Amino acid sequence: MADKSEEPVNVGDKRQSDAAESKEPAKRNKGDEDSDGDDEKSSGKFQKRMMALQFGYIGTGYAGLQKNPGQKTIEDELEKALFQAGAISAHNHGDLKKVKWSRAARTDKGVHAVGNLVAAKLLLRKREGGDEAGKEGGGTAAQPCSHDQEIIAELVKSVNTFLPQGMRLLDCKRTTKNFSAKINAGGRRYEYLIPTFAMQAA
């Protein structure tokens, strides 16, 4: 009966092979494709969530809602406040596309809004206990648990401390990851107030 002799293993070759494998870049998971450099926060005390933000403002002194280079806009102030509150990272600050920003409606220069809505992927503080707390709490985008609601309430309060007078974040809700404030808007209503003396005959 022939002996089943095994070929000798070259330890040096195995070490070189292991070293080569360790140099290969780690494969990105599907959920990591939009991390935008926030890995250190997403894997630590923060998590990224798509959020809908309802806010109101007095448009006097602003060149409209939408960001416009060289102009003072409502979105400039809102984005800055979100950044200062820690909801947008330094890596993403200044580029709304990186946080998948969308707006339900735009307003022109000097126009006010009782209620407008934008959506963005923001950084939220994780619940104590991490994923296990999430499983026990059972929170979802449609029905967030009480701890999620507390975190969101803290975010609203924090953002408002950085917003200028005449602008307020009214509410903030978790949404599905593909939510768009523009596409999913159910309707828009505009009101125009004209002083009565403008109707009088000259």
Side-chain angles (χ1 to χ4, degrees):
M1 186 174 181
D3 294 333
K4 294 182 179 179
S5 58
E6 298 180 356
E7 294 183 3
V9 177
N10 190 322
V11 178
D13 292 344
K14 188 175 187 302
R15 288 177 179 173
Q16 291 178 1
S17 176
D18 292 342
E21 290 179 1
S22 64
K23 292 180 181 179
E24 293 181 0
K27 293 182 178 180
R28 292 166 63 89
N29 296 324
K30 185 176 181 181
D32 295 335
E33 60 188 7
D34 60 349
S35 60
D36 301 327
D38 289 332
D39 294 337
E40 70 282 357
K41 280 192 172 184
S42 297
S43 60
K45 296 181 179 180
F46 294 85
Q47 56 191 349
K48 299 184 79 172
R49 294 288 183 267
M50 183 62 75
M51 308 292 295
L53 292 80
Q54 184 183 10
F55 62 107
Y57 52 87
I58 296 174
T60 303
Y62 294 94
L65 170 76
Q66 189 171 359
K67 289 190 72 169
N68 189 8
Q71 300 291 326
K72 182 182 178 182
T73 67
I74 299 297
E75 282 186 342
D76 285 324
E77 298 289 358
L78 182 57
E79 184 200 16
K80 183 171 68 174
L82 288 167
F83 166 67
Q84 292 173 318
I88 294 179
S89 70
H91 179 82
N92 291 341
H93 183 226
D95 189 346
L96 297 182
K97 291 181 179 179
K98 288 186 176 181
V99 293
K100 299 184 177 180
W101 189 281
S102 62
R103 59 192 69 83
R106 292 179 293 180
T107 52
D108 294 329
K109 179 179 179 180
V111 177
H112 317 315
V114 174
N116 202 344
L117 189 134
V118 298
K121 200 166 190 179
L122 304 178
L123 291 166
L124 290 182
R125 182 170 58 81
K126 284 186 177 179
R127 289 172 290 223
E128 295 180 2
D131 294 337
E132 292 302 319
K135 292 176 183 178
E136 293 175 5
T140 63
Q143 188 63 44
C145 67
S146 59
H147 198 79
D148 278 338
Q149 292 173 336
E150 291 175 6
I151 292 173
I152 292 172
E154 290 175 5
L155 174 63
V156 172
K157 183 177 180 180
S158 178
V159 170
N160 279 329
T161 62
F162 297 108
L163 285 174
Q165 187 176 6
M167 189 181 304
R168 281 294 174 267
L169 180 59
L170 306 175
D171 201 1
C172 189
K173 300 289 186 183
R174 273 187 61 186
T175 70
T176 55
K177 63 180 181 179
N178 294 321
F179 178 82
S180 168
K182 178 181 178 180
I183 296 173
N184 298 115
R188 299 169 180 85
R189 186 175 71 179
Y190 299 88
E191 293 185 1
Y192 300 88
L193 303 180
I194 302 176
T196 56
F197 66 79
M199 303 297 215
Q200 297 175 0

